[in-house]
């Protein structure tokens, strides 16, 4: 779908949603009055306390805020790895609450890619096998999966490391492999939770450059949770969370990449 097509339909708002949501029927992500309460203590921990926003296709958004403000919780819910306590999350028109367990797993495989702070590569698989795993799980035939994996490894500068085990790579290399795995199945939404948190500044910058170029070149929508100023500067918009509430939703002044 072309960008022009999306723009032409900007005014197709869904009147049933609250004005704070500001999404359109073609927004990639529409979150409405999202609450997440973790059971445990008697009252429970309120991680998200009524959050509403929309994200358009092709955006690069950072989610910022102090530790414990709910960034990871929000990303896990957007990635269908956890369910909300209340409220609605629609991604690419699909209400996540309506998905059963199998449909949720399929959604995770096809629609979203996830990059974690601690890489989460499987230690007994080679780098190439790790990158190819989402394709194998999604039923790709061997030959296109191997070819796609080779392209991905080339794209993240790891063409010569495919047969290595993750333990033989540096942190920066492991995270580049994890980014390749996250985008392998060409997801529309790339979620990155503190992706530079375990890296030195030079490797952190390289990961952010990679996310920014994927956003620019393949148009994947990126949502980045971070408390790093340097990482957040790559985003074009910031959502700021505090105590489970959205504080501010605006364009980021420090735009690095052209829109
Ligand atoms: P952030 O990523 O911004 O640091 P989190 O989303 O991890 O914040 O956590 C938000 C709040 O929810 C915190 O108070 C945290 O302790 C709590 N929390 C997160 N995960 C769980 C869980 N599985 N069980 C209970 N409380 C949790
Ligand atoms: Mg977190």
């Amino acid at each position: 779908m072309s960008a022009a097509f999306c723009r032409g339909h900007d005014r197709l708002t869904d009147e049933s949603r609250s004005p704070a949501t500001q999404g359109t029927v073609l927004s990639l992500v529409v979150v409405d009055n999202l609450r997440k309460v973790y059971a445990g203590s008697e009252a429970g921990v309120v991680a998200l306390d009524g959050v509403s926003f929309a994200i358009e296709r092709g955006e690069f958004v950072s989610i910022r805020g102090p530790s414990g403000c709910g960034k990871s919780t929000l990303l896990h819910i957007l990635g269908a790895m956890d369910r909300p306590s209340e409220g609605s999350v629609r991604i690419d028109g699909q209400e996540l609450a309506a998905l059963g367990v199998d449909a949720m797993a399929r959604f995770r495989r096809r629609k979203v890619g996830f990059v974690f702070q601690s890489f989460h590569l499987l230690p007994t698989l080679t780098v190439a096998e790790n990158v190819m795993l989402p394709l194998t799980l999604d039923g790709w035939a061997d030959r296109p999966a191997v070819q796609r994996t080779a392209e991905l490894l080339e794209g993240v500068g790891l063409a010569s490391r495919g047969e290595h085990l993750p333990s033989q790579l540096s942190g920066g290399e492991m995270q580049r492999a994890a980014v390749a795995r996250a985008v392998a199945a060409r997801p529309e939404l790339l979620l990155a939770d503190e992706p530079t948190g375990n890296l030195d500044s030079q490797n952190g910058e390289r990961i952010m450059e990679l996310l920014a170029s994927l956003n620019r070149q393949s148009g994947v929508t990126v949502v980045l949770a971070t408390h790093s100023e340097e990482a957040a500067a790559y985003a074009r918009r910031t959502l700021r969370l505090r105590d489970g509430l959205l504080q501010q939703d605006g364009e980021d002044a420090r735009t690095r990449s052209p829109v």
Side-chain angles (χ1 to χ4, degrees):
M1 181 191 304
S2 75
F5 178 81
C6 292
R7 272 197 298 277
H9 289 72
D10 262 359
R11 294 187 192 287
L12 284 176
T13 48
D14 177 349
E15 301 298 331
S16 66
R17 288 199 307 274
S18 63
T21 305
Q22 292 173 350
T24 75
V25 291
L26 290 179
S27 299
L28 181 61
V29 176
V30 182
V31 170
D32 199 12
N33 206 19
L34 175 64
R35 272 175 58 83
K36 177 69 182 182
V37 184
Y38 289 108
S41 59
E42 215 169 282
V45 176
V46 181
L48 296 171
D49 199 11
V51 169
S52 301
F53 62 87
I55 295 174
E56 306 307 320
R57 287 163 211 278
E59 278 200 276
F60 190 150
V61 180
S62 73
I63 299 177
R64 306 199 59 196
S67 182
C69 70
K71 302 183 294 296
S72 294
T73 300
L74 179 56
L75 250 54
H76 288 150
I77 292 173
L78 294 182
M81 292 191 288
D82 199 358
R83 289 190 186 269
S85 306
E86 283 174 48
S88 149
V89 176
R90 262 193 12 212
I91 297 188
D92 201 14
Q94 174 66 57
E95 172 62 55
L96 297 192
L99 298 177
V101 174
D102 290 347
M104 224 160 132
R106 206 160 40 242
F107 173 90
R108 275 196 300 274
R109 282 203 305 273
R110 291 188 180 162
K111 289 282 179 189
V112 295
F114 215 103
V115 180
F116 302 88
Q117 176 170 350
S118 49
F119 324 134
H120 286 200
L121 296 173
L122 296 177
T124 57
L125 299 185
T126 65
V127 170
E129 286 166 345
N130 267 281
V131 171
M132 196 159 64
L133 191 60
L135 306 178
T136 312
L137 289 174
D138 207 31
W140 281 48
D142 276 355
R143 202 194 283 203
V146 166
Q147 191 181 341
R148 172 88 180 130
T149 301
E151 286 164 14
L152 287 158
L153 288 173
E154 174 84 38
V156 300
L158 292 175
S160 63
R161 310 306 294 274
E163 296 314 309
H164 288 80
L165 289 172
S167 60
Q168 296 172 307
L169 303 187
S170 70
E173 289 169 336
M174 280 195 264
Q175 195 62 305
R176 271 148 48 206
V179 170
R181 177 183 58 182
V183 297
R186 297 194 176 89
E188 292 209 51
L189 182 59
L190 180 57
L191 304 168
D193 194 358
E194 307 279 5
T196 63
N198 284 352
L199 303 178
D200 59 55
S201 58
Q202 203 180 343
N203 277 302
E205 208 170 298
R206 186 151 183 197
I207 288 298
M208 291 313 305
E209 296 284 355
L210 186 54
L211 297 182
S213 85
L214 285 164
N215 171 252
R216 274 197 309 271
Q217 282 166 22
S218 67
V220 66
T221 305
V222 180
V223 182
L224 159 80
T226 187
H227 59 251
S228 153
E229 289 245 343
E230 290 80 15
Y234 284 83
R236 292 195 291 273
R237 176 181 160 206
T238 300
L239 298 177
R240 209 170 281 278
L241 281 174
R242 180 171 284 271
D243 297 333
L245 289 164
L246 200 56
Q247 293 268 293
Q248 170 195 335
D249 179 2
E251 293 291 315
D252 210 282
R254 298 176 58 193
T255 301
R256 278 204 183 193
S257 40
V259 178

